[in-house]
Amino acid sequence: MAALEDVEGLSEVIGRAIQEHLEHSNINVAWPQIDGLVRPILRVEAFLEDAGPGNVSSPRSERVASRTLELTGMMTPGPSRSPTVPRQDHDMMSETQSHSSDATEEGLDTSDARRKGTGGLRISQKQTIQEDHSEHQRQMQVDTRNFPKRKKVASEKFVFQPSTLDKLIIGIWEQLHGSINLDPKAIFEQFQIAPAGSSDVVRQSRSDVTAMDMLSPSTDCTHDSFSQMNVFCRKVTQASRVCRSIEMIVQARWTELFEEQIQFRTAAVPELSATKHRKAVFMEACQDFGWSEKELRNKMAIWRGYKEVKDAAGWAALVFAGMGIYRFCKYRVGFDKDAMRRLRNLRKRLEVAADTLHPHWRQLLAIVGESPTLQYPGHPHEWVVFEDGTDPVPLRQTYPEQNRYFAFEHIDESIIDESVWGCEDPRWMPQPNSVARVNGQYICASCGEQQSDDSKANGCFCFPSLFGCVKRKPPPIQVFRTPDGKNNGLLALTSFERGAAIGELVGLITKGVSGRDVMDSSTPLSNYQIWQERIGNYTRFANHSCKANAQSSTFTWLDTQRVIIVSKGIDAGTEITLDYGDKYWAGLDKAS
């Protein structure tokens, strides 16, 4: 077969591909015979042949590509190996060049014998430099970066799901900080329950419009009728929720009386065994309920779970329990001593939240003979709780060493220091497109939607729990006594997903404060400070951490800059921390 012309660059491509592959392989293991060579090389040659049928013995063409690679530098270094010879690449595109390469191999010096490499590991050819994130961990007081976005980060690691007990506890906290209304008078006074057979089954006490009229398909679907139906549905839902709470506390009390009745009969007639007395009391209950033994026994198993939860976590756990308590008490998954210990540690904390957020909830306990008097009145963040179940203490009692006359006022909106700013608000943010506004609308700089306190006009939902047509509610956060000597801190009762608002940092808007804990912020027009020593909200008690799980950011609402705390992803039961920044530690005089 006639000689073919060389393909330019073919040897270079083949050699580069083989070299790159060998650099990521352990040739000592793949080719054991290489250990017996003094200076191993790899020679690769390429030919052209006819692979068609009947041409098995057809002659090959002349060599079209050839490559020789030095393997000494790619082998695993031995314990006492001498310095290797630099790797050399040779291109041979003709028969003459091939013979020259063979002659070079025969002339290699064999006196440089090396010891056999025994290691199975090979030094990496590429060095990766990892960035030290610790030097970027501490930021300025108000983080200039954008607040964390609500994006779920996919994790390759296995993530444990919350247990049945965790779901029960989180459900209780969510009910406590929800919109539930447990005032019996405020609910049942709204309705008049008519006797059976009456046409007006449920009638509002302050209106002539009956529920049957609103539910009728012939009713015109107007805005007024829809609003009335919203109010009516909310009241019925609230009444149903109250009835469910009453049902659980009555069933828990019945279980206690059932055991007391057995003890009473056993003491009165000691001749009979406790088992026979229990059977007699059980049959009496079946007759009064009108249920079979199996039906009552199944219900008693759940009611007994209600009683055990009440004994550990108190009546508040039953009144504000979500739907998960039924499953928890029925299947009793995780119903052990450790679960009861966790519930006992939560008892006082649940009562603080219930008394401060729902001051009428104890009136329901009067049904079972409990006292309706509140034990922890006042603001929900006026009490400092303990994770070990110790009795809560007032906030001012936790600062006797720093200031015996400590006083703190909880406010929802910041107050302008008129002695400094007069009637102006230094947080005002002029919008660049204010001239082109339509009817004086406020446009969000983050999402580009219209901002308004009117639910019909508002289109900005960047932080719906703080701004917009919403009434702010106390978040699921408690002020707790930290175990590491930081005095008070913030404890997340439920999880805060990444990008969710924890709260707005409010206080006295002033300037020129030095030597005190203060938050610095600025607008394009002025610099100002938020001082929370005497007035503010729960954000005052957020502690510092170099690896904080929340950050302070600025957000403009209705042309007014607000400083908010945004979550980076916080699990339930975790302390909420911020990075105060280098400016805080360098400029604050802690001795004063």
Side-chain angles (χ1 to χ4, degrees):
M1 182 179 292
L4 301 178
E5 297 181 358
D6 297 340
V7 180
E8 183 179 0
L10 181 60
S11 298
E12 181 69 22
V13 174
I14 295 176
R16 188 182 302 111
I18 296 176
Q19 178 180 349
E20 182 179 355
H21 177 74
L22 293 180
E23 287 180 349
H24 295 81
S25 305
N26 194 341
I27 60 178
N28 295 67
V29 179
W31 301 329
Q33 61 273 19
I34 201 173
D35 293 329
L37 303 179
V38 178
R39 184 183 174 187
I41 63 173
L42 176 65
R43 184 168 62 190
V44 181
E45 298 178 349
F47 301 89
L48 291 178
E49 295 181 353
D50 189 358
N55 297 321
V56 179
S57 59
S58 61
R60 297 187 301 181
S61 68
E62 294 182 359
R63 187 179 310 168
V64 297
S66 178
R67 187 72 168 178
T68 301
L69 300 177
E70 182 73 43
L71 301 181
T72 305
M74 302 182 186
M75 298 175 57
T76 303
S80 59
R81 181 171 178 172
S82 59
T84 59
V85 180
R87 184 171 63 245
Q88 298 178 356
D89 299 338
H90 306 277
D91 294 337
M92 300 182 180
M93 303 300 295
S94 62
E95 187 71 22
T96 305
Q97 292 173 331
S98 175
H99 291 298
S100 176
S101 175
D102 296 341
T104 304
E105 295 178 28
E106 296 176 358
L108 292 176
D109 185 10
T110 60
S111 61
D112 185 17
R114 65 180 182 84
R115 297 177 61 181
K116 181 178 180 180
T118 58
L121 299 178
R122 181 172 56 85
I123 299 178
S124 175
Q125 300 294 330
K126 297 181 179 180
Q127 300 292 334
T128 58
I129 301 177
Q130 297 182 354
E131 182 182 2
D132 185 8
H133 296 281
S134 60
E135 61 181 5
H136 305 294
Q137 183 66 43
R138 309 185 76 175
Q139 305 295 329
M140 299 299 294
Q141 290 174 315
V142 177
D143 204 326
T144 57
R145 299 172 299 178
N146 293 332
F147 45 80
K149 305 301 180 183
R150 296 174 180 85
K151 181 179 179 181
K152 294 184 178 180
V153 180
S155 176
E156 298 179 356
K157 299 181 180 179
F158 177 78
V159 179
F160 288 95
Q161 298 297 324
S163 63
T164 305
L165 178 61
D166 294 332
K167 294 179 180 179
L168 172 65
I169 295 174
I170 294 175
I172 296 175
W173 288 123
E174 290 177 347
Q175 291 290 325
L176 278 167
H177 294 83
S179 59
I180 183 175
N181 182 10
L182 294 180
D183 185 3
K185 295 182 180 180
I187 295 175
F188 293 106
E189 285 181 355
Q190 304 295 330
F191 307 98
Q192 294 177 351
I193 308 300
S198 174
S199 59
D200 295 338
V201 179
V202 180
R203 179 184 294 274
Q204 292 188 5
S205 60
R206 299 182 182 179
S207 176
D208 294 331
V209 181
T210 64
M212 301 301 294
D213 294 336
M214 288 186 290
L215 294 174
S216 176
S218 60
T219 304
D220 295 336
C221 184
T222 62
H223 176 71
D224 293 338
S225 62
F226 180 70
S227 299
Q228 292 176 0
M229 192 60 198
N230 290 339
V231 175
F232 176 75
C233 184
R234 175 179 58 83
K235 292 178 179 179
V236 171
T237 304
Q238 294 283 11
S240 175
R241 180 63 181 84
V242 172
C243 292
R244 188 163 65 88
S245 298
I246 295 176
E247 178 185 10
M248 286 189 293
I249 62 177
V250 169
Q251 291 168 352
R253 175 65 80 188
W254 181 90
T255 304
E256 293 179 342
L257 295 179
F258 178 82
E259 299 295 336
E260 293 177 1
Q261 182 68 10
I262 296 174
Q263 296 177 2
F264 174 77
R265 292 195 178 190
T266 302
V269 186
E271 294 80 8
L272 297 178
S273 63
T275 303
K276 292 184 178 181
H277 284 297
R278 178 178 295 274
K279 181 66 174 179
V281 175
F282 181 79
M283 295 305 298
E284 180 181 352
C286 289
Q287 183 178 1
D288 293 339
F289 281 112
W291 296 339
S292 63
E293 295 184 30
K294 180 180 179 181
E295 187 175 3
L296 180 58
R297 189 175 293 108
N298 292 337
K299 293 182 180 296
M300 284 184 60
I302 302 175
W303 297 357
R304 187 176 293 108
Y306 294 162
K307 174 185 176 299
E308 294 178 10
V309 172
K310 187 272 299 181
D311 292 340
W315 289 108
L318 283 185
V319 173
F320 295 95
M323 299 301 296
I325 190 173
Y326 178 83
R327 177 181 295 272
F328 181 70
C329 295
K330 180 179 181 180
Y331 299 103
R332 303 181 72 87
V333 178
F335 217 103
D336 50 17
K337 294 182 179 179
D338 183 67
M340 296 299 105
R341 178 189 58 81
R342 290 183 58 187
L343 291 177
R344 282 193 296 270
N345 293 341
L346 289 173
R347 181 167 187 157
K348 297 299 182 180
R349 295 169 53 190
L350 293 175
E351 291 180 355
V352 168
D355 286 351
T356 55
L357 298 175
H358 306 274
H360 301 286
W361 80 277
R362 290 187 182 270
Q363 295 180 6
L364 300 179
L365 302 182
I367 299 176
V368 293
E370 295 291 334
S371 173
T373 305
L374 297 179
Q375 297 183 8
Y376 305 100
H379 195 274
H381 299 133
E382 188 63 32
W383 295 91
V384 179
V385 299
F386 297 82
E387 291 185 291
D388 59 357
T390 306
D391 291 341
V393 297
L395 181 63
R396 63 178 305 172
Q397 292 186 10
T398 60
Y399 293 93
E401 299 179 358
Q402 292 83 352
N403 186 359
R404 66 175 62 184
Y405 303 106
F406 173 84
F408 186 78
E409 179 183 356
H410 298 272
I411 58 177
D412 296 329
E413 295 288 343
S414 295
I415 299 176
I416 306 298
D417 189 354
E418 297 182 357
S419 62
V420 176
W421 304 105
C423 298
E424 298 181 357
D425 190 344
R427 301 173 298 170
W428 180 70
M429 290 282 294
Q431 292 193 4
N433 57 347
S434 58
V435 179
R437 282 185 183 177
V438 179
N439 299 327
Q441 297 179 355
Y442 297 95
I443 305 301
C444 178
S446 300
C447 64
E449 298 293 338
Q450 179 182 352
Q451 294 180 345
S452 176
D453 290 331
D454 186 3
S455 60
K456 301 177 183 178
N458 181 55
C460 174
F461 300 99
C462 293
F463 300 103
S465 61
L466 296 180
F467 308 106
C469 49
V470 62
K471 182 179 179 181
R472 292 189 184 181
K473 303 175 183 177
I477 295 174
Q478 282 186 327
V479 181
F480 81 113
R481 191 74 167 186
T482 59
D484 52 2
K486 295 181 180 179
N487 201 9
N488 299 329
L490 294 182
L491 187 65
L493 306 179
T494 61
S495 60
F496 288 87
E497 64 178 1
R498 179 179 177 86
I502 299 175
E504 180 187 359
L505 197 145
V506 301
L508 181 66
I509 306 299
T510 183
K511 69 176 181 179
V513 177
S514 61
R516 300 288 183 181
D517 291 355
V518 67
M519 171 66 75
D520 292 335
S521 188
S522 63
T523 65
L525 301 179
S526 61
N527 299 328
Y528 65 92
Q529 295 175 325
I530 304 178
W531 192 23
Q532 294 184 307
E533 183 172 347
R534 298 297 182 184
I535 57 175
N537 60 357
Y538 54 92
T539 58
R540 178 192 191 275
F541 307 103
N543 287 321
H544 165 81
S545 175
C546 293
K547 296 182 179 180
N549 53 19
Q551 73 176 53
S552 57
S553 303
T554 57
F555 178 73
T556 302
W557 176 259
L558 303 182
D559 286 359
T560 302
Q561 185 185 85
R562 309 295 183 96
V563 178
I564 59 177
I565 298 179
V566 185
S567 168
K568 295 182 179 180
I570 303 175
D571 296 330
T574 306
E575 181 182 0
I576 301 174
T577 56
L578 292 173
D579 186 356
Y580 288 0
D582 294 337
K583 184 179 179 181
Y584 175 88
W585 301 110
L588 188 62
D589 184 10
K590 300 297 275 187
S592 57

